[in-house]
């Protein structure tokens, strides 16, 4: 029996500093591994209670284990505290003599309460699976850190397993010394057991001891067989887990390859679409410029049509004024014609008076001639009156001739004014028609101007929409490029994990099941 009170277990079992260094070297446990484990302690501490709960949930499934705990005078709640401390010590970063001593003491306690390697070595797989999943989540973007952490975890579990086996074997060897058997029989059995243990140490887990009887050596053989069976189960479970991981990584690799190819095609399509949008945007800009020019031309046409309408209205007003003036002139000429008619009548009266005066002068000359000398003076007056009557008759004839010319001229003027009035009326009708056409043209021009403004607004909105779509496509292009980059990184990480899985599979393949 190992006495933990008289001396340290490391001294008792011959595991001094050199042996400790040798064992670390054997599993290639370095300072880098110690640092990797210590770096994991914060995240492990966060999940330590969950890990311990999973650990004891598995323990509670086996009645034999629960009986061992009960017989030892303990319970699950009390053991959870010790188990959490045990778990966190794996990530303290200090793996010197004190660490080895604590691990050996735990192994001695296990032997004392009858907890065989079958149980506690098998339980290592629970922690191993949970910690591996945690490491993969923690370092999912860093294959180097992930691989280093996984290797460090497996190495420290290997060291802990060795120490547990050492305490169990030393305990068994101590118990064997108290067995009363013949030396030859003990040596033969021990040689068989040592050969078996050596085969197990070399990784051959396919053999089992042929155990008969119920003595202590037989119980030892059964325990060694149970231990080997447990180790074989751990190795087999690890192999299955590695194969599952390897298969999942194969699928992940294929998926990443597909995603990467799809993302590359999508990136090419997005680039092509962006180029097309740029071309459409350029054409839209040209269209908008042309529509703006058209709108400006329509606006100028509208203003000119309005000016034309005003000019037509002014022309109509001028024609109306001209017609009124022509009509006034015609009325004036008619009045003048009437006045010349009256003058003609007056000159006729004057002519008659002149003829009568001439006749009277002639009669007076005749009477003066009859009077002789007494009538000479009267004859002179009569001659003067006759001469004046002739001059008046000539003058009235000239006035009549002038009045006749004036009447002819007024007649022509009246006809001309009537023709002018008719022309003015016809001009007014033409101008009014032109005004109506100008109004219709102005309405069309206004509608065209409004339509061009609406077209300009629509084209401008379309241009703005194209700019927004172009910006969105550029963002999509940027996100797609990031996705392609992430896919490449995931592809690289998957390849790194695959290599880790291959290494783990090669390590486990050394065990012969």
């Amino acid at each position: 029996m190992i006495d933990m009170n008289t001396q340290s277990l490391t001294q008792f079992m011959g595991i001094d500093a050199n042996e400790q260094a040798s064992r670390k070297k054997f599993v290639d446990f370095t300072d880098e591994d110690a640092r990797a484990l210590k770096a994991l302690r914060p995240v492990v501490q966060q999940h330590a209670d969950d890990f311990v709960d999973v650990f004891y949930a598995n323990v509670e499934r086996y009645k034999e284990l629960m009986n061992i705990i009960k017989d030892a005078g303990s319970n699950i709640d009390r053991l959870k505290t010790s188990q959490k401390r045990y778990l966190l010590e794996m990530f303290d970063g200090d793996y010197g003599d004190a660490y080895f001593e604590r691990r050996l003491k735990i192994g001695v306690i296990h032997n004392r309460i009858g907890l065989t390697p079958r149980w506690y070595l098998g339980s290592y797989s629970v922690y191993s699976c949970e910690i591996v999943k945690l490491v993969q989540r923690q370092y999912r973007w860093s294959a180097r850190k992930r691989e280093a952490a996984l290797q460090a975890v497996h190495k420290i579990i290997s060291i802990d397993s060795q120490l547990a086996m050492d305490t169990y074997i030393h305990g068994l060897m101590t118990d064997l010394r108290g067995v009363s058997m013949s030396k030859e029989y003990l040596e033969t059995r021990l040689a068989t057991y040592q050969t078996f243990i050596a085969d197990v140490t070399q990784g051959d887990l396919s053999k089992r001891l042929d155990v008969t009887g119920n003595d202590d050596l037989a119980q030892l053989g059964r325990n060694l067989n149970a231990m080997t069976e447990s180790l074989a189960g751990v190795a087999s479970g690890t192999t299955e887990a590695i194969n599952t991981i390897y298969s999942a990584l194969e699928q992940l690799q294929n998926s990443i390859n597909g995603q990467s190819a799809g993302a590359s095609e999508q990136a090419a399509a997005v680039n092509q679409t962006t180029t097309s949008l740029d071309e459409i945007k350029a054409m839209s800009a040209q269209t908008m410029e042309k529509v703006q020019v058209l709108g400006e031309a329509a606006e100028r046409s509208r203003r000119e049509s309005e000016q034309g309408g005003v000019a037509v209205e002014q022309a109509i007003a001028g024609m109306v004024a001209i017609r009124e003036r022509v009509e006034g002139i015609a009325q004036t000429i008619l009045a003048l014609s009437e006045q010349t008619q009256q003058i003609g009548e007056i000159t006729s009266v004057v002519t008659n008076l002149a003829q009568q005066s001439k006749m009277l002068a002639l009669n007076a000359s005749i009477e003066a001639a009859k009077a002789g000398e007494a009538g000479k003076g009267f004859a002179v007056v009569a001659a003067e009156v006759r001469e004046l009557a002739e001059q008046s008759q000539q003058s009235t004839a000239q006035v009549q001739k002038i009045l006749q010319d004036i009447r002819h001229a007024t007649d022509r003027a009246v006809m001309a004014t009537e023709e002018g009035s008719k022309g003015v009326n016809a001009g007014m009708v033409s101008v009014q028609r032109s005004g109506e056409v100008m109004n219709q043209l102005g309405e069309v021009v206004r509608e065209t101007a409004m339509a061009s403004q609406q077209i300009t607004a629509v084209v401008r909105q379309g241009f703005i929409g194209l700019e927004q779509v172009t910006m969105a496509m550029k963002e999509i292009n940027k996100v797609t490029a990031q996705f392609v980059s992430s896919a490449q990184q995931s592809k690289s990480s998957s390849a790194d994990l695959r290599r880790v899985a291959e290494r783990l599979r090669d390590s486990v393949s050394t065990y012969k099941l």
Side-chain angles (χ1 to χ4, degrees):
M1 199 68 181
I2 300 175
D3 188 358
M4 294 186 293
N5 296 321
T6 58
Q7 61 182 142
S8 68
L9 291 173
T10 53
Q11 293 175 346
F12 180 81
M13 297 175 63
I15 306 177
D16 56 10
N18 292 331
E19 177 63 18
Q20 294 170 17
S22 177
R23 294 193 178 205
K24 291 178 183 178
K25 183 178 180 181
F26 182 75
V27 297
D28 194 26
F29 187 85
T30 64
D31 292 339
E32 291 292 332
D33 295 315
R35 284 191 288 271
L37 291 172
K38 188 172 183 179
L40 283 172
R41 180 183 172 88
V43 67
V44 172
Q45 188 166 6
Q46 292 177 4
H47 298 84
D49 291 330
D50 296 333
F51 290 171
V52 172
D53 288 342
V54 172
F55 180 89
Y56 279 105
N58 184 58
V59 169
E60 290 175 339
R61 294 167 54 197
Y62 298 94
K63 184 177 180 180
E64 183 178 349
L65 275 176
M66 295 302 295
N67 289 335
I68 293 174
I69 294 172
K70 182 178 179 182
D71 294 340
S74 187
N75 57 61
I76 294 295
D77 292 334
R78 188 186 305 167
L79 289 175
K80 282 185 176 181
T81 302
S82 300
Q83 193 63 228
K84 180 179 178 180
R85 183 169 57 253
Y86 168 82
L87 174 64
L88 293 177
E89 284 177 354
M90 293 174 62
F91 299 92
D92 279 343
D94 184 5
Y95 306 99
D97 188 72
Y99 181 84
F100 277 74
E101 182 71 21
R102 288 193 299 270
R103 286 317 193 235
L104 291 174
K105 285 182 179 179
I106 292 173
V108 170
I109 293 172
H110 286 168
N111 287 332
R112 184 176 296 169
I113 65 175
L115 187 65
T116 62
R118 168 192 174 189
W119 300 112
Y120 57 78
L121 287 179
S123 297
Y124 279 126
S125 64
V126 175
Y127 280 147
S128 178
C129 291
E130 294 299 321
I131 293 171
V132 166
K133 289 189 287 186
L134 177 63
V135 170
Q136 289 177 343
R137 290 196 303 269
Q138 181 70 12
Y139 296 126
R140 57 183 177 277
W141 302 116
S142 177
R144 182 183 62 80
K145 290 183 178 180
R146 181 172 57 251
E147 181 178 356
L150 288 174
Q151 298 247 359
V153 169
H154 286 299
K155 290 174 184 178
I156 196 63
I157 289 177
S158 176
I159 291 174
D160 281 10
S161 300
Q162 291 176 18
L163 295 175
M165 287 299 301
D166 282 340
T167 57
Y168 183 73
I169 293 172
H170 275 79
L172 290 177
M173 296 301 294
T174 301
D175 292 339
L176 284 174
R177 294 189 186 96
V179 178
S180 57
M181 294 181 179
S182 65
K183 182 179 179 181
E184 292 79 5
Y185 179 75
L186 286 175
E187 288 177 351
T188 302
R189 295 284 295 274
L190 288 175
T192 302
Y193 286 4
Q194 287 175 348
T195 301
F196 175 75
I197 293 171
D199 291 338
V200 171
T201 303
Q202 295 299 319
D204 186 358
L205 305 178
S206 62
K207 297 178 180 179
R208 298 294 182 270
L209 290 170
D210 184 11
V211 180
T212 57
N214 294 316
D215 55 27
D216 292 338
L217 279 177
Q219 184 61 38
L220 173 62
R222 294 187 185 94
N223 289 339
L224 288 173
N225 283 339
M227 176 195 70
T228 305
E229 188 71 27
S230 178
L231 286 174
V234 172
S236 177
T238 304
T239 301
E240 291 179 2
I242 291 171
N243 290 333
T244 302
I245 293 173
Y246 192 81
S247 177
L249 287 173
E250 286 281 350
Q251 296 176 359
L252 178 61
Q253 187 75 18
N254 294 333
S255 175
I256 291 173
N257 289 335
Q259 291 177 355
S260 179
S264 298
E265 293 177 359
Q266 182 181 2
V270 169
N271 285 329
Q272 185 176 1
T273 304
T274 304
T275 302
S276 300
L277 283 173
D278 289 336
E279 294 175 356
I280 295 173
K281 182 180 174 184
M283 291 188 290
S284 178
Q286 294 176 357
T287 303
M288 188 168 69
E289 291 177 358
K290 292 179 180 178
V291 168
Q292 288 176 346
V293 172
L294 176 62
E296 293 173 356
E299 181 63 21
R300 288 196 300 273
S301 299
R302 184 186 65 78
R303 291 196 298 268
E304 292 174 358
S305 67
E306 290 179 352
Q307 293 174 358
V310 173
V312 168
E313 291 177 355
Q314 293 175 351
I316 292 173
M319 295 293 288
V320 170
I322 292 171
R323 185 181 66 181
E324 291 176 353
R325 291 177 183 174
V326 169
E327 288 177 353
I329 293 170
Q331 293 295 329
T332 302
I333 292 173
L334 288 175
L336 179 62
S337 177
E338 291 176 356
Q339 291 175 355
T340 55
Q341 183 69 28
Q342 293 175 358
I343 293 172
E345 292 175 356
I346 294 171
T347 55
S348 295
V349 173
V350 172
T351 300
N352 290 328
L353 289 175
Q355 288 179 351
Q356 290 178 5
S357 297
K358 186 177 178 182
M359 288 299 294
L360 290 174
L362 179 60
N363 289 330
S365 296
I366 293 173
E367 292 296 326
K370 288 178 178 183
E373 278 304 318
K376 286 184 180 178
F378 187 72
V380 173
V381 173
E384 290 291 331
V385 170
R386 187 172 59 246
E387 185 177 357
L388 290 172
E390 288 178 354
Q391 291 177 353
S392 296
Q393 190 175 6
Q394 291 176 356
S395 297
T396 55
Q398 292 176 354
V399 170
Q400 286 287 347
K401 186 175 183 299
I402 292 169
L403 290 174
Q404 188 66 29
D405 292 338
I406 290 172
R407 278 197 298 271
H408 290 161
T410 55
D411 290 340
R412 288 194 299 272
V414 169
M415 291 179 64
T417 55
E418 289 179 353
E419 292 295 329
S421 180
K422 292 179 181 179
V424 169
N425 290 332
M428 284 184 63
V429 172
S430 298
V431 171
Q432 287 176 347
R433 290 178 181 174
S434 299
E436 292 176 356
V437 172
M438 287 296 292
N439 289 332
Q440 293 175 356
L441 178 61
E443 186 65 26
V444 171
V445 170
R446 280 192 294 272
E447 292 177 355
T448 303
M450 291 178 63
S452 66
Q453 291 175 354
Q454 293 174 354
I455 293 172
T456 302
V458 171
V459 171
R460 184 177 292 109
Q461 291 177 353
F463 185 75
I464 294 172
L466 279 173
E467 286 184 336
Q468 294 175 349
V469 172
T470 302
M471 291 177 64
M473 289 302 298
K474 289 180 179 179
E475 288 296 325
I476 293 173
N477 193 10
K478 182 178 178 181
V479 172
T480 303
Q482 293 176 351
F483 179 74
V484 171
S485 178
S486 298
Q488 293 296 331
Q489 293 177 356
S490 298
K491 185 176 180 180
S492 176
S493 299
S494 176
D496 293 337
L497 281 174
R498 185 175 176 181
R499 286 192 292 270
V500 172
E502 288 176 350
R503 291 178 185 176
L504 289 174
R505 186 169 61 180
D506 293 340
S507 298
V508 176
S509 64
T510 59
Y511 292 102
K512 183 178 179 182
L513 304 178

